[in-house]
Amino acid sequence: MSFPACRRLARALPFTLVLLAAACSAEASYDDRDWSAIEPVAAEVPQVRVPDPAVTEANLAALDPCAVGAAGDPAAEPASLDRRDTSRECQVQRSDGPVQVIVGAPYLAEGSDAAGVLERRTRQDVAGVAAWVGPGPVGNGRSARCAVIVPLSPERTLVVADPDEDDCGVALTAAEAALADPAAMARPGGTVTEPVFYAADEPDPGGVDGCAELADQLAWLCVPVTDADVPGDPVDLIRHGEADPAVLCVPALASAEQAAPVAGRRWVAVTTAPNPVPEGERASYDGARVCTLLTSKVRGGEADDATKVVVTARRDPLKVEANTEVAGHPTHHAKQSGTWEVALTETDANGYLRVQVLDADRKEPAWAEDLVTDLVERVFGED
């Protein structure tokens, strides 16, 4: 019988049987186990190439938006457009429909330092180049029914928008022809220095795998989780999970999929820094990392309503009074912050799991307890 179960039995038994319950609880103690720290596992953060700003600016100045819009269509003609910067924008009437082209649109949507124009779009290989396709913002405070967004750097993009169609058919046709030969898109007398864009097989500012669901994956030092060896013993899981949060992500992802299915979306698992890391500190960062679960964004949605689950494990005692139990384990639950801290045995004994579950409104969803219970049963067992 496990420690918490015996503890409850001892409270329920008459005084004459308390010694029996105490003996039972001692049998399940983890105090004599090895709780020493394991060397942290270094996270292999995908490195996103940062072009020389001067080269990027020169390429932006050289690219002709009208040539991009007319690429591959000899019958295409530039049309009038009420635009803020005539040298960087052009509307083109192609034989298959109109497109709007913006050269150098900002990656971050106007009015927010967290909402990138690539969010809620789908990454596609367009002529061997990384492109993001779908509806949503295109920078400068504007949106498009559908657009092909092509990053040139972490700050600037090329936009080929389709004002009439939701499937980006015309924009994709133009973009594919233009991206296949960037040099031919230069203004008369201008030249571009390749690589102008990110190749489809290299990391780009929009994110790699599950990191694409996280706003500003560069600042979070995001690493996709594919698989990890998960110890079956709870003490080993806590020790290894503290050293490598990917170990926690495997059972946590399974619990989210089982206990908290989200219609029309999927759960993804990544490891991140606990908070965004300033640009100057990213290369040398060797601090803590956490397991982060995210729901995939609604492509083209008006707002980011993704839910986030953060999971960590600690070898230290919880040292906070329990106010509830999860699967028989003493737990401190703070509903306002969506935090569940679950002790392996007692709050003054080694080892606990911390799970934070918050929706886009920073509130704890109704299914949070189901998810936490499923996870605790997977990694600690039910008592």
Side-chain angles (χ1 to χ4, degrees):
M1 185 180 295
S2 64
F3 186 82
C6 291
R7 172 173 51 82
R8 293 195 303 272
L9 178 61
R11 288 199 299 262
L13 289 173
F15 179 76
T16 55
L17 296 181
V18 167
L19 290 179
L20 176 61
C24 174
S25 65
E27 184 179 318
S29 173
Y30 294 102
D31 292 343
D32 59 348
R33 292 289 301 277
D34 178 11
W35 285 97
S36 61
I38 294 176
E39 185 72 19
V41 175
E44 296 183 5
V45 180
Q47 297 301 305
V48 177
R49 177 172 52 83
V50 180
D52 184 325
V55 173
T56 298
E57 191 56 38
N59 281 339
L60 291 173
L63 286 172
D64 182 350
C66 293
V68 172
D73 186 353
E77 295 183 0
S80 62
L81 175 66
D82 181 13
R83 50 188 182 269
R84 304 177 187 184
D85 184 349
T86 56
S87 66
R88 295 287 175 92
E89 298 185 24
C90 187
Q91 178 169 308
V92 177
Q93 183 62 49
R94 297 173 56 87
S95 57
D96 49 357
V99 293
Q100 295 176 349
V101 179
I102 306 172
V103 174
Y107 168 70
L108 296 177
E110 188 174 279
S112 171
D113 61 358
V117 298
L118 308 187
E119 292 184 49
R120 297 181 292 279
R121 288 187 161 96
T122 302
R123 193 181 197 266
Q124 291 188 25
D125 178 339
V126 179
V129 171
W132 295 77
V133 182
V138 295
N140 296 328
R142 288 172 288 179
S143 295
R145 292 180 64 177
C146 196
V148 181
I149 311 291
V150 189
L152 288 90
S153 74
E155 292 81 28
R156 297 292 166 180
T157 68
L158 168 69
V159 176
V160 184
D162 193 329
D164 293 342
E165 303 295 334
D166 296 332
D167 63 359
C168 273
V170 179
L172 277 168
T173 300
E176 186 166 10
L179 297 178
D181 189 5
M185 300 300 105
R187 302 174 188 276
T191 58
V192 296
T193 301
E194 297 202 45
V196 183
F197 308 104
Y198 292 89
D201 60 358
E202 72 171 319
D204 74 89
V208 178
D209 296 329
C211 293
E213 307 298 344
L214 182 67
D216 202 353
Q217 50 115 12
L218 300 180
W220 286 95
L221 301 179
C222 185
V223 178
V225 173
T226 54
D227 199 6
D229 292 330
V230 181
D233 176 80
V235 175
D236 289 339
L237 180 132
I238 290 172
R239 294 174 66 222
H240 285 272
E242 185 180 59
D244 181 8
V247 171
L248 304 173
C249 274
V250 174
L253 180 60
S255 292
E257 292 172 340
Q258 174 66 33
V262 185
R265 295 181 164 194
R266 63 188 179 94
W267 284 98
V268 297
V270 299
T271 67
T272 66
N275 298 290
V277 179
E279 184 175 357
E281 302 175 14
R282 294 172 193 171
S284 60
Y285 181 82
D286 62 356
R289 295 187 64 81
V290 300
C291 164
T292 301
L293 304 184
L294 303 163
T295 52
S296 61
K297 296 180 177 64
V298 174
R299 303 302 177 188
E302 292 296 325
D304 175 6
D305 55 352
T307 298
K308 179 185 287 189
V309 178
V310 178
V311 184
T312 55
R314 292 290 180 265
R315 295 172 297 111
D316 301 328
L318 177 56
K319 292 184 177 179
V320 176
E321 184 176 352
N323 57 12
T324 187
E325 288 185 349
V326 172
H329 296 266
T331 300
H332 182 265
H333 175 216
K335 185 175 181 62
Q336 186 172 3
S337 63
T339 303
W340 302 73
E341 294 173 311
V342 185
L344 176 58
T345 55
E346 291 285 357
T347 58
D348 58 356
N350 289 85
Y352 69 94
L353 193 69
R354 186 180 191 273
V355 186
Q356 184 178 45
V357 188
L358 291 174
D359 61 20
D361 296 323
R362 304 287 298 175
K363 295 180 180 179
E364 182 181 275
W367 45 258
E369 184 173 1
D370 293 338
L371 186 152
V372 176
T373 300
D374 189 277
L375 177 58
V376 171
E377 291 175 352
R378 288 176 190 270
V379 299
F380 286 174
E382 185 177 3
D383 291 322

